[in-house]
Amino acid sequence: MPHFDQTLDVKGAKCPMPLVKSRKAISELPVGQVLQVISTDRGSVADFQGWVKTAKNVELIAQETVQENGQELYVHYLRRTA
Amino acid sequence: MTFTQDQSTVTEISPRELYARLLSAQPLFILDVRNEDEFKRMPVEGHATLRTLNLPYYDFIEDEEAALARLPKDVEEVVVICAKGGASQYVAEVLNNHGYRAVSLTDGMIGWGNYYDTRDVVNASWGRIVQIARPARGDLSFAIISDGQAALVDPLRHINVYRELIESAGAKLTTILDTHVHADHISGGPALSKETGAPYYVHPYDAIHPIDMLPAVIAYEPLRDGQVFQIGQVRITTIWYPGHTLGQVNFLAETPDGGRYLFTGDGIFLRSFGRPDLGGKGEAWTPILYRSMFERLPRYLTDETVILPAHFSTLDEDAGNGIFAAPYKQVLSQNDSLKPRSLEEFTSFVLSHLPVFPPEYVEIKRVNIGLVEPCEGKASELELGKNICALAE
Ligand SMILES: [Fe+2]
């Protein structure tokens, strides 16, 4: 698990909310810090990859899938770069 | 802007309404807000009057003004589409706030992919022939209903569509026919048979997986060349047509008024024909297909025989009313791939027109003879995207 500074829990939130909330959280994060986003939306994996390609100040450091109580969690690590 | 999914006031368009718009060939603008890979794998397709732009929803979240600037200037009305119907609501709301008239497709591509369209090909005193289409995939299936009896040809996976159709016609399902064991989609035949007790017929050559060389474990009745089924006043004759698969058959339905309707499965299509390589033996099966096409089938065909295939490749193949069928004479005139060729010419034509071989097609054939039983999620994943059963044009 990469190092992170803050956590955003968007379990249960459906597309587009994981990304809407992550964008907002990144904007409030000090430059250089890492945000961990925990989602149950499988589509978020590909969408976060697509988003960071053109996003202004976001870098996707890692993504992982973990099991928790029988459900899959999709965890993203985003760094604010500027 | 504040936004919550539950309180969205965005107007929705149902898959049924979308399909009517696509068929009408009126100008239509679709904004597909899925990521690029999803969009490329399965876009919504229509006539030449359809314009589509792929602009992922996260581009609107990242920089709303920049995303809006990429929309064509002459567009007022926009149908917004995403994977499940959430992100499209978000983007449609953004558009509406900027003076567009935007609607969001209900349930997104899931809703579109699972949408079935049912319409009569013929409705006469002897009964009906009904086309049941799954437009997103270009899949076509048929019901023949006469005197309270019903037969199905190539039923698709969502079997309640057929149950409801037959029930509302006041008929009983007596015969389930598959023209072949499909590679591109999961057949509804075995499940319907299990549920209704009506026998499921498929040719025994297709009851062996062509790559695994393993026999079917589903219950089926073996079809034979020349076998006749009587459905009320309609007589259905089985015509063996090997090539796309070794056990591919056509079904010729003859009606009391002299009508001839040929269900060709993945034999001949309206603008193409079924590829001979999906069993992994394209070289060996191409000459077999050649003989089926140019020697076996012609003796059953008249100019007026209506061709009803199991697939369309583009909406342009419809006769203007959502029916994908045409008299043989017309098919010949618009289908260059059917023109007479020597075996050598035919073989090189096939080789130069083979599209990609979707890897999941091997697995779908396993599902269709019961070698694997996927859950709902896996089944719909296997069926993502449009069929690639035809040679490329
Ligand atoms: Fe097919």
Side-chain angles (χ1 to χ4, degrees):
Chain A
M1 189 188 295
H3 160 83
F4 58 91
D5 302 288
Q6 285 185 44
T7 292
L8 176 67
D9 182 343
V10 286
K11 280 184 249 177
K14 289 186 186 131
C15 179
M17 294 324 284
L19 217 140
V20 169
K21 289 184 172 166
S22 297
R23 173 69 269 181
K24 194 162 173 287
I26 283 283
S27 302
E28 289 161 4
L29 200 70
V31 174
Q33 286 202 359
V34 174
L35 178 72
Q36 179 197 50
V37 181
I38 304 170
S39 170
T40 47
D41 177 30
R42 184 151 77 112
S44 66
V45 177
D47 288 352
F48 273 63
Q49 292 168 12
W51 169 44
V52 298
K53 274 186 211 158
T54 52
K56 287 179 289 283
N57 58 351
V58 191
E59 181 190 357
L60 183 62
I61 298 168
Q63 288 181 309
E64 53 193 26
T65 306
V66 295
Q67 297 281 336
E68 188 196 74
N69 304 328
Q71 76 172 342
E72 306 240 289
L73 297 182
Y74 307 95
V75 188
H76 317 278
Y77 297 89
L78 301 158
R79 191 201 322 269
R80 176 165 180 176
T81 56
Chain B
M1 188 185 69
T2 57
F3 173 83
T4 54
Q5 272 175 296
D6 300 323
Q7 293 164 5
S8 174
T9 52
V10 166
T11 309
E12 299 205 343
I13 182 170
S14 68
R16 173 189 296 271
E17 292 166 313
L18 175 64
Y19 190 49
R21 292 284 303 270
L22 291 170
L23 282 176
S24 78
Q26 297 292 314
L28 181 64
F29 181 75
I30 289 180
L31 178 65
D32 193 320
V33 298
R34 292 174 297 162
N35 66 55
E36 198 184 334
D37 290 344
E38 288 174 330
F39 170 71
K40 280 191 179 149
R41 188 156 179 200
M42 189 177 186
V44 171
E45 296 178 347
H47 292 295
T49 46
L50 171 67
R51 283 193 292 169
T52 306
L53 178 68
N54 176 220
L55 211 51
Y57 70 93
Y58 41 77
D59 287 1
F60 285 86
I61 294 169
E62 183 64 28
D63 189 342
E64 200 172 288
E65 296 303 321
L68 285 165
R70 289 175 61 191
L71 291 170
K73 295 287 158 282
D74 59 336
V75 163
E76 287 170 21
E77 199 188 351
V78 182
V79 175
V80 190
I81 289 177
C82 69
K84 296 177 193 156
S88 56
Q89 282 189 357
Y90 175 91
V91 173
E93 189 158 323
V94 171
L95 296 188
N96 285 336
N97 291 340
H98 286 81
Y100 292 91
R101 269 182 298 127
V103 293
S104 163
L105 175 66
T106 310
D107 298 331
M109 286 304 284
I110 304 251
W112 175 239
N114 289 337
Y115 170 65
Y116 282 68
D117 172 80
T118 300
R119 46 188 88 204
D120 283 348
V121 180
V122 231
N123 191 333
S125 59
W126 49 261
R128 294 158 70 195
I129 293 176
V130 186
Q131 172 195 274
I132 304 101
R134 196 174 166 189
R137 304 202 75 261
D139 290 345
L140 303 165
S141 60
F142 303 92
I144 298 122
I145 305 169
S146 178
D147 289 352
Q149 298 188 314
L152 293 173
V153 176
D154 291 328
L156 304 164
R157 184 164 65 90
H158 299 86
I159 58 174
N160 51 344
V161 177
Y162 304 93
R163 273 202 314 251
E164 282 161 23
L165 168 70
I166 292 168
E167 201 180 290
S168 70
K172 185 178 186 296
L173 178 61
T174 62
T175 313
I176 304 165
L177 304 168
D178 255 342
T179 54
H180 62 297
V181 168
H182 300 277
D184 69 290
H185 64 266
I186 296 171
S187 171
L192 274 164
S193 177
K194 212 175 197 175
E195 207 180 276
T196 63
Y200 168 64
Y201 292 89
V202 75
H203 195 284
Y205 287 180
D206 272 18
I208 295 173
H209 194 284
I211 289 162
D212 300 351
M213 297 309 290
L214 289 172
V217 296
I218 50 156
Y220 72 97
E221 294 292 326
L223 276 173
R224 58 183 163 73
D225 191 23
Q227 188 167 1
V228 170
F229 300 90
Q230 193 71 38
I231 307 297
Q233 300 174 51
V234 181
R235 182 186 152 93
I236 300 175
T237 307
T238 309
I239 304 161
W240 185 42
Y241 184 96
H244 177 66
T245 64
L246 286 185
Q248 162 95 55
V249 300
N250 287 191
F251 294 107
L252 177 66
E254 293 168 281
T255 58
D257 52 8
R260 293 167 67 84
Y261 301 87
L262 187 71
F263 302 94
T264 59
D266 289 12
I268 56 178
F269 298 127
L270 298 181
R271 302 272 175 92
S272 181
F273 60 80
R275 55 195 293 189
D277 65 318
L278 289 180
K281 315 233 173 357
E283 238 166 87
W285 291 9
T286 299
I288 299 177
L289 177 65
Y290 181 78
R291 284 195 292 279
S292 292
M293 222 159 120
F294 294 105
E295 289 165 25
R296 298 188 59 83
L297 196 62
R299 52 194 147 113
Y300 295 95
L301 289 164
T302 60
D303 282 354
E304 293 75 32
T305 302
V306 178
I307 305 297
L308 303 109
H311 293 298
F312 64 84
S313 295
T314 77
L315 268 198
D316 291 330
E317 289 168 48
D318 96 300
N321 51 6
I323 303 288
F324 295 86
Y328 182 57
K329 190 178 179 180
Q330 188 189 323
V331 173
L332 269 184
S333 72
Q334 69 195 17
N335 189 339
D336 190 48
S337 67
L338 300 181
K339 79 174 193 207
R341 289 182 167 85
S342 69
L343 177 59
E344 291 69 32
E345 289 167 344
F346 183 77
T347 304
S348 65
F349 178 82
V350 167
L351 287 176
S352 60
H353 289 77
L354 284 181
V356 293
F357 190 136
E360 64 272 21
Y361 280 18
V362 176
E363 183 75 356
I364 293 175
K365 278 200 193 242
R366 288 187 190 118
V367 175
N368 277 333
I369 58 172
L371 298 177
V372 288
E373 283 183 56
C375 63
E376 168 61 32
K378 177 73 183 162
S380 70
E381 208 168 283
L382 283 170
E383 288 188 330
L384 267 180
K386 207 169 80 176
N387 84 84
I388 316 183
C389 296
L391 288 185
E393 273 184 59

